[in-house]
Amino acid sequence: MTTTLREIDLNLLVVLRDLMQTRSISATAVRLGMSQPAASNALARLRTTYANELFVRAGNTMQPTALAMQLAAPVEEAMVLLQSTFAQREQFDPAHDTRLFNLAMTDVGEVYFMPRLIAHCARHAPFVRLKVIQTSGPTLRQDMQDGRVDLALGPFEDMPGSAYQQRLFDQSCVCLFRSDHPFASHPPTTVAEYRHARHLFVANAASPYVEIQQRMEKAGIHASRGDQVSSFLSAPFVVATSDCVVTLPFKLVEQFARPLGLVWIHPPLRLPTLSTHCFWHRRVHQDAAHAWLRAQIMALFGETRD
């Protein structure tokens, strides 16, 4: 009857390999950090598995049988191959590795993170590739669990307990408008003045941005009464050529204000602070390549609290 791998304790092969090298039960026990009775028991189990003595005593040594001699080379090759899998997990050479990382982020995150991150990798890990996947909510959680997403960067909420996280930065939301807008010379100092402006909203915004709009709704600034776009990325271009003002995360405003000649102010309205984190699944927590990428992201974008 054929023996299957499920029926074998692979630790026994370690004992077999060391016995081939030491030809001694006691020396093998010392080498493997086990008691001599445990080593003797392992040999007994090997004999049962292979239906062969494997080693017979000859004076002060244990001499291998013909079958043990035949097993020596394939067992050694198997041990080397298994050991190499751990080496692959533990080693990462950014100068030569060709790893592909799938990163989940919003369109806002893509504008903020990717230019600097790609440029950094081009200098320090020229063969590493980055791919952005826009996903959120339950889909993101499942994608991380199944390995379709390596890292998630953003203000994502309701992440699973199996996810690790590291805070990158906090950011406020600011009001953006064109440079010759009335707010540029006379910034609003009250909620009433702020409410009087023509506001642009991003429709279908995901949490936690929806909390910003909810706070504005409570202040009487209603999305249903304003103009709406479907993407954060189009909002700066709209306000650049209109009388609209738009309330956006500061990191996004930083990217567009100067190129489009826009001006921003802090609104006279208390709005929630957005916290951006790096998330990853515990499955890849000890992976050397992932650890390297997380360290680069933290060095590039991590900010300490005052």
Side-chain angles (χ1 to χ4, degrees):
M1 183 176 180
T2 302
T3 301
T4 65
L5 281 176
R6 286 179 297 180
E7 299 172 287
I8 299 175
D9 180 353
L10 294 181
N11 288 314
L12 296 178
L13 298 182
V14 178
V15 174
L16 176 60
R17 181 191 62 179
D18 278 43
L19 274 172
M20 286 297 301
Q21 296 171 357
T22 66
R23 309 293 171 92
S24 166
I25 291 288
S26 58
T28 294
V30 171
R31 194 170 180 177
L32 297 179
M34 58 197 306
S35 67
Q36 185 166 332
S40 296
N41 180 62
L43 176 56
R45 293 170 63 191
L46 281 165
R47 286 168 169 166
T48 299
T49 298
Y50 287 100
N52 187 276
E53 284 291 299
L54 295 178
F55 293 88
V56 295
R57 184 166 295 282
N60 294 325
T61 64
M62 300 291 290
Q63 293 299 317
T65 65
L67 177 60
M69 293 295 290
Q70 293 174 16
L71 293 173
V75 166
E76 180 63 28
E77 290 175 4
M79 293 296 100
V80 170
L81 182 60
L82 285 171
Q83 189 63 44
S84 71
T85 65
F86 295 103
Q88 290 174 8
R89 178 183 65 82
E90 295 168 356
Q91 296 176 2
F92 174 72
D93 180 4
H96 299 96
D97 203 284
T98 59
R99 194 74 167 264
L100 169 66
F101 292 101
N102 292 315
L103 310 179
M105 59 186 74
T106 64
D107 54 355
V108 175
E110 194 167 346
V111 169
Y112 180 69
F113 290 114
M114 291 305 289
R116 291 171 62 190
L117 189 54
I118 288 179
H120 179 84
C121 286
R123 291 192 300 271
H124 301 284
F127 304 108
V128 163
R129 294 162 296 143
L130 306 175
K131 179 180 178 181
V132 172
I133 297 175
Q134 290 195 4
T135 178
S136 61
T139 302
L140 173 57
R141 294 194 292 272
Q142 191 63 46
D143 286 342
M144 292 181 69
Q145 180 176 323
D146 294 343
R148 289 187 291 270
V149 167
D150 295 302
L151 294 171
L153 303 174
F156 299 112
E157 297 182 333
D158 301 324
M159 296 299 287
S162 57
Y164 286 85
Q165 62 177 281
Q166 188 171 25
R167 176 190 163 276
L168 294 176
F169 54 80
D170 297 331
Q171 62 175 318
S172 59
C173 284
V174 298
C175 178
L176 185 69
F177 44 85
R178 70 174 197 273
S179 59
D180 59 347
H181 190 279
F183 275 6
S185 55
H186 297 90
T189 58
T190 66
V191 173
E193 291 175 341
Y194 191 56
R195 184 170 53 233
H196 185 69
R198 180 169 183 165
H199 287 266
L200 177 69
F201 293 87
V202 179
N204 302 317
S207 180
Y209 300 116
V210 68
E211 297 175 18
I212 305 298
Q213 294 191 4
Q214 289 173 348
R215 189 70 61 87
M216 294 176 68
E217 291 273 351
K218 290 181 179 179
I221 306 171
H222 300 284
S224 60
R225 300 175 188 171
D227 300 295
Q228 298 186 33
V229 293
S230 63
S231 169
F232 283 100
L233 301 187
S234 62
F237 294 93
V238 173
V239 299
T241 57
S242 71
D243 290 331
C244 291
V245 302
V246 64
T247 303
L248 296 173
F250 178 68
K251 297 293 185 183
L252 177 62
V253 168
E254 272 189 316
Q255 306 301 309
F256 287 99
R258 180 173 294 180
L260 296 180
L262 303 177
V263 178
W264 63 269
I265 60 170
H266 289 288
L269 177 66
R270 293 180 64 87
L271 297 174
T273 297
L274 304 178
S275 293
T276 295
H277 290 74
C278 175
F279 299 92
W280 63 96
H281 196 273
R282 64 184 180 187
R283 173 180 48 79
V284 296
H285 180 62
Q286 294 181 315
D287 183 273
H290 281 261
W292 177 86
L293 182 59
R294 296 195 302 266
Q296 308 313 302
I297 290 172
M298 193 63 193
L300 287 170
F301 305 106
E303 298 177 0
T304 58
R305 287 191 173 97
D306 295 332

